[in-house]
Structure formats: C-alpha cells, structure tokens
C-alpha cells in the first residue's frame, strides 16, 4: 500500500509540475512579459499574481517561504541525528549552528541551478552511505541468519495519524512541483524539463522502494524484538567505517541546506533590496538553526512542512491556476476540477492528521 501511495504521489507531482508549465504557456503576451520580468517574486508567486491577483500571490509566496525554510530546518535536524552517534557528537545547539554557518557560503549563489555541483556531491555521499548500510546488513544477516521476526512491515502504517505523517513525508520527498518553474528556468535546455522531471521522479521512486524494502529485509529479525529502527544508521555498529557513513550523510545535509537558504533569501532580498545577500541568508540560517534546536524531530518537521506547504503548492495550486487560465481560453477544465478538489481534501486531511 505504501509503495502504491508513493507511486500515486509521484505521478501527481509529475502532473502538477507539468501543469504549472502549461499554465505559464497559456498566459497572454502582456502577462507573460510581466511574468518574465518579475518583481522579485518567486516564479510560482509571479504566475499566481497574473492569474489570481496580488492577494493570493502573497499567500503563495508565504507558503513557499515556509517550504524553503522547512527544507533548511529539516536538513539541520537530520544532520544532528547523523552526527550524534559519532565521536564528533556535540550538543544540539552547537552542531546545527556550525552546520548552518558552513552552509551559508554555499548559499551565496544566484539561483537553484548554481547548486547543481553541491547537489551532485550530496547524491554521491548518499549513494556511498546506502551501499555501506546494505553491506553491513548483509554481513549482519550472514552472522545471525536470514529468518525474519515478522514484527515489522514497512508497507503498513501503525495508525491513522501515521498515514497523515507518511503522506506529508512522501509529499516533501517528491515535492518538485513548487520549484518546477525555478528548475525549468535554470536549465540549459528548458524544453527538456518535462522528460528530465519524469526520469528524476521515477528514479527516486525506484530508489525509495528498493532501499526501503531492502533495508527492511536486512534489518528485521531474526529475534522477535529485533525490528527495524526508526533511523537505520542506529543499527550500524561503532567503528571507523560506520562513522564515515554517518559523517557522509551529515555532509550531504550540509550540501542540501543551501536549497532552503537560497529560496528564502531570494524572497527576502526582493523585499529588502538594500540588505546584502550575505546578511539576509546568514540571518535565515540563524533562524533555521534556532527552529531546529527548538524542534529536533525530523519526521515531525518533514511531515508538517509536507502536509501544509508542499501539498498546498503541489496538489491544490497547479490545478487552480490552470483551471482559471483554461476557462479564459475556453479549454476543458474537468481534469483540473477533479484534481483541485482532491488536492484541497488532501491538504486538509494530512494537515489535520499530522498536527
């Protein structure tokens, strides 16, 4: 069930990202010129302004800011979880402060496209870490045997509240729609965005399913009380290589924090033009570190941000924007109506369950 839900959210995200691009292409010449010129808004808010007006655009910009800020906070909290089991363990306030400071120089770029190199390095670190986790799982199984305890089923949530949290987390992980316009604009060949988005999403889906099922199989059992830990890194032994794995995951977090800092920084800098980029993004980093210190629960942060911000911008906004433009251009709207209703219901249900 979880794998099917994950696939459904993936396909919905793919549709939503493409729908925003299609909506942008339905703008008339004057509106498109205003959209391309921009007024310091995110592309998503600029599109919403042309379709729904300034008030709704302001709400969208605020929700997008919450999403980007939540990204920075989530990676800071995750970094603490990775580092705390290593010899470099520090108190929560210290490690998140150092990570935020380390991320600021990486965040002094013009747009998301400039973060490609840091993102690639993070993916390499993540791939190496997952390979090491799998290797230790196999070695552990060879020592203990391959029988499973049967106490853990990664495909079935434990409660209704867990369903809401799971949807929020999955929406967060696949939340490409809110940044679709950013990503397309940063590409050397924007016309290939739709294909690139679909390939990336399905690659991520395959990785999530294979890794999720594989890790569950390797770390579940054979004793009845030998279940999969919430953080699989907790199942790794102590030693040099496991420490490197944890530190590699922490480094991947540091390389990912700038995504949130850049997104928030662009919004604030447009409204405080006299304030230097370094100052604005440093202040965002400080604020994110303070929130991470106050709320050090990774699943809660990701679930709330996913349920409130990502679901709103990914599943409710794209069909609304396209629906209004389709009506102006006398195009069919049935698909948008159905998915708008579904998106609004998803936002309400997941937010209620997660909160």
């Amino acid at each position: 069930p979880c794998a099917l839900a994950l696939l459904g959210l993936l396909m919905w995200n793919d549709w939503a990202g493409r729908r925003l691009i299609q909506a942008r292409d339905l703008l008339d010449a004057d509106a498109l010129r205003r959209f391309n010129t921009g007024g310091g808004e995110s592309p998503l808010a600029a599109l919403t302004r042309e379709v729904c007006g300034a008030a709704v655009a302001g709400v969208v910009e605020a929700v997008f800011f919450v999403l980007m800020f939540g990204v920075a906070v989530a990676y800071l909290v995750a970094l603490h979880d990775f580092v705390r089991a290593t010899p470099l363990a520090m108190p929560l306030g210290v490690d998140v402060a150092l990570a935020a400071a380390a991320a600021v120089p990486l965040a002094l770029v013009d747009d998301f496209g400039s973060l490609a190199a840091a993102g690639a390095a993070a993916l390499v670190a993540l791939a190496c870490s997952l390979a090491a986790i799998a290797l230790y799982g196999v070695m552990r199984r060879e020592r203990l045997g391959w029988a499973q305890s049967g106490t853990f089923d990664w495909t079935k949530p434990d409660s209704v509240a867990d369903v809401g949290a799971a949807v929020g987390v999955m929406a967060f992980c696949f939340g490409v729609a809110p940044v679709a316009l950013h990503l397309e604009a940063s590409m050397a060949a924007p016309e290939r965005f739709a294909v690139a988005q679909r390939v990336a999403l399905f690659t991520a889906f395959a990785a999530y399913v294979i890794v999720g099922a594989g890790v569950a199989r390797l770390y579940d059992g054979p004793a009845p009380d030998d279940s999969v830990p919430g953080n699989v890194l907790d199942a790794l032994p102590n030693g040099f290589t496991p420490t490197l794995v944890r530190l590699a995951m922490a480094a991947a977090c540091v390389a990912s924090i700038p995504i949130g800092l850049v997104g928030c920084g662009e919004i604030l800098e447009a409204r405080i033009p006299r304030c230097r980029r370094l100052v604005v993004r440093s202040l965002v980093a400080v604020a994110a570190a303070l929130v991470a210190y106050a709320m050090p629960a990774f699943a809660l942060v990701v679930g709330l941000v996913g349920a409130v911000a990502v679901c709103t911008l990914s599943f409710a906004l794209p069909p609304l924007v396209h629906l209004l433009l389709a009506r102006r251009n006398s195009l069919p709207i049935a698909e948008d109506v159905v998915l708008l209703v579904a998106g609004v219901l998803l936002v309400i249900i997941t937010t209620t369950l997660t909160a």
Side-chain angles (χ1 to χ4, degrees):
C2 281
L4 292 177
L6 197 60
L7 180 60
L9 284 175
L10 177 149
M11 296 174 66
W12 201 347
N13 260 289
D14 180 53
W15 179 89
R18 289 183 291 107
R19 209 60 164 178
L20 287 172
I21 304 298
Q22 293 165 3
R24 189 272 319 276
D25 293 341
L26 289 175
L27 293 173
D28 60 41
D30 290 338
L32 185 60
R33 183 176 62 255
R34 290 192 298 269
F35 170 81
N36 289 328
T37 302
E41 298 171 306
S42 66
L44 190 60
L47 176 60
T48 306
R49 178 181 292 274
E50 295 300 328
V51 180
C52 306
V56 179
V59 174
V60 168
E61 194 79 318
V63 176
F64 185 76
F65 183 91
V66 170
L67 168 57
M68 292 292 100
F69 190 76
V71 167
V73 172
Y75 281 118
L76 285 169
V77 174
L79 176 137
H80 171 73
D81 289 342
F82 295 142
V83 172
R84 62 186 171 84
T86 73
L88 299 180
M90 305 175 188
L92 173 60
V94 176
D95 55 15
V96 296
L98 291 176
V104 169
L106 298 176
L108 301 178
V109 296
D110 293 328
D111 53 41
F112 286 109
S114 303
L115 296 173
L123 288 175
V124 170
L126 180 61
C128 293
S129 300
L130 292 176
I133 290 169
L135 177 60
Y136 272 101
V138 170
M139 293 169 59
R140 176 177 175 277
R141 279 299 189 173
E142 289 179 343
R143 185 178 71 255
L144 299 177
W146 289 87
Q148 285 188 279
S149 67
T151 58
F152 176 79
D153 186 349
W154 76 288
T155 66
K156 295 179 181 179
D158 293 330
S159 66
V160 175
D162 284 348
V163 173
V167 172
V169 171
M170 289 188 290
F172 183 93
C173 295
F174 286 115
V176 69
V179 293
L181 293 166
H182 291 82
L183 296 175
E184 188 213 29
S186 68
M187 290 181 66
E191 68 278 1
R192 300 175 63 183
F193 171 76
V195 175
Q197 174 186 258
R198 183 164 295 177
V199 170
L201 285 171
F202 275 94
T203 301
F205 169 75
Y208 271 79
V209 171
I210 293 171
V211 171
V215 167
R217 180 70 179 89
L218 289 173
Y219 287 90
D220 180 29
D225 59 347
D226 188 13
S227 60
V228 181
N231 181 354
V232 72
L233 293 182
D234 292 340
L236 294 180
N238 294 321
F240 179 74
T241 301
T243 296
L244 283 183
V245 170
R246 294 182 174 98
L247 293 179
M249 297 289 278
C253 289
V254 172
S256 301
I257 294 167
I259 296 172
L261 302 186
V262 171
C264 292
E266 288 179 341
I267 294 172
L268 295 175
E269 288 153 21
R271 286 151 180 77
I272 319 173
R274 295 184 179 180
C275 199
R276 298 184 62 180
R277 177 179 295 180
L278 174 61
V279 175
V280 172
R281 300 188 185 185
S282 296
L283 290 175
V284 173
V286 170
L290 290 174
V291 174
Y293 175 76
M295 193 168 58
F298 178 74
L300 177 61
V301 173
V302 172
L304 281 173
V305 173
V308 177
V310 182
C311 286
T312 299
L313 299 180
S314 295
F315 305 134
L317 184 65
L320 173 63
V321 170
H322 192 273
L323 185 154
L324 295 175
L325 285 169
R327 288 183 62 186
R328 295 179 191 176
N329 291 273
S330 301
L331 297 173
I333 62 172
E335 184 179 357
D336 292 314
V337 171
V338 171
L339 287 171
L340 173 59
V341 173
V344 171
L345 289 175
L346 184 68
V347 172
I348 294 172
I349 293 171
T350 54
T351 302
T352 301
L353 293 176
T354 304

